[in-house]
Amino acid sequence: MMRLATAITGVGLVLASMPMVGVGVSSAASNTATTLVALDDGTQLETRAVLDCHRATGSCDFTVGADRRTGDGVTGFPSDLWSRQSTDIRSTDRLAYLDVHATAQYDRVFKQGGTDNVTTVFMGDGPPDKYQTTGRIDSTDWRTGQPRTDVPVIVCTHIQVVYSGVNITSPSTCAQTTFS
């Protein structure tokens, strides 16, 4: 009986000293895309899309935004700004339903079956983080209603920016990833 207790204690000590395999923070599959466009005033319009997908939850977090780049770094826009950012969220698999929820001051989410569109209007000056939209994408299988994590997710955004002397629409900036 003593040998059995000693053996169990020994195995317990060995297991306790081993690194935990399979335990830890769940990772995310991520992608970030940035596009720069030269403006007539010597600055650049920067658009970006950030996408992080999590297999454990069957969801993705996204951030899309815009700012101006000067020789001194990133800055916001002038006080007479009006802009409209349009963001399309889709998968290449038509049987994946991506349910999109967004958070910005003036945004609308248009659900179109295969592609959801988030339209955000920005007005006036402010810090660079004012001109961004964040949100969550829940991936579901149309047939079963269960989370769908075996599909790619694509986020593409472009923005029309209007202020004194500037009226430009950026090209699309797209981030794509799969679930980790």
Side-chain angles (χ1 to χ4, degrees):
M1 187 71 151
M2 184 63 152
R3 284 187 185 171
L4 180 59
T6 304
I8 291 173
T9 303
V11 169
L13 289 173
V14 169
L15 290 175
S17 67
M18 292 179 62
M20 298 297 251
V21 177
V23 176
V25 178
S26 66
S27 63
S30 303
N31 191 1
T32 300
T34 303
T35 303
L36 293 169
V37 176
L39 300 175
D40 290 340
D41 63 3
T43 64
Q44 294 177 312
L45 172 63
E46 178 181 56
T47 57
R48 73 189 158 287
V50 179
L51 182 60
D52 295 308
C53 292
H54 315 278
R55 179 177 298 278
T57 60
S59 66
C60 303
D61 299 312
F62 72 92
T63 302
V64 293
D67 54 54
R68 284 187 318 147
R69 285 205 169 264
T70 67
D72 296 329
V74 174
T75 186
F77 293 97
S79 61
D80 60 341
L81 170 82
W82 177 90
S83 67
R84 179 182 57 225
Q85 186 164 27
S86 181
T87 305
D88 290 326
I89 299 167
R90 64 185 175 83
S91 176
T92 57
D93 188 320
R94 296 178 60 94
L95 294 178
Y97 171 64
L98 302 178
D99 188 19
V100 176
H101 305 276
T103 304
Q105 187 173 3
Y106 301 107
D107 71 31
R108 296 274 185 176
V109 177
F110 300 95
K111 298 180 183 283
Q112 303 170 359
T115 300
D116 284 5
N117 177 274
V118 179
T119 300
T120 308
V121 174
F122 300 105
M123 295 173 281
D125 60 347
D129 63 350
K130 173 183 177 180
Y131 311 101
Q132 69 180 17
T133 301
T134 59
R136 178 183 166 117
I137 305 162
D138 294 312
S139 178
T140 307
D141 189 307
W142 274 109
R143 297 167 294 191
T144 66
Q146 297 300 309
R148 183 87 190 268
T149 59
D150 63 342
V151 296
V153 177
I154 304 164
V155 172
C156 291
T157 191
H158 67 274
I159 190 167
Q160 179 185 9
V161 173
V162 179
Y163 60 89
S164 297
V166 174
N167 183 349
I168 191 168
T169 300
S170 73
S172 286
T173 302
C174 299
Q176 176 178 342
T177 192
T178 58
F179 292 84
S180 65

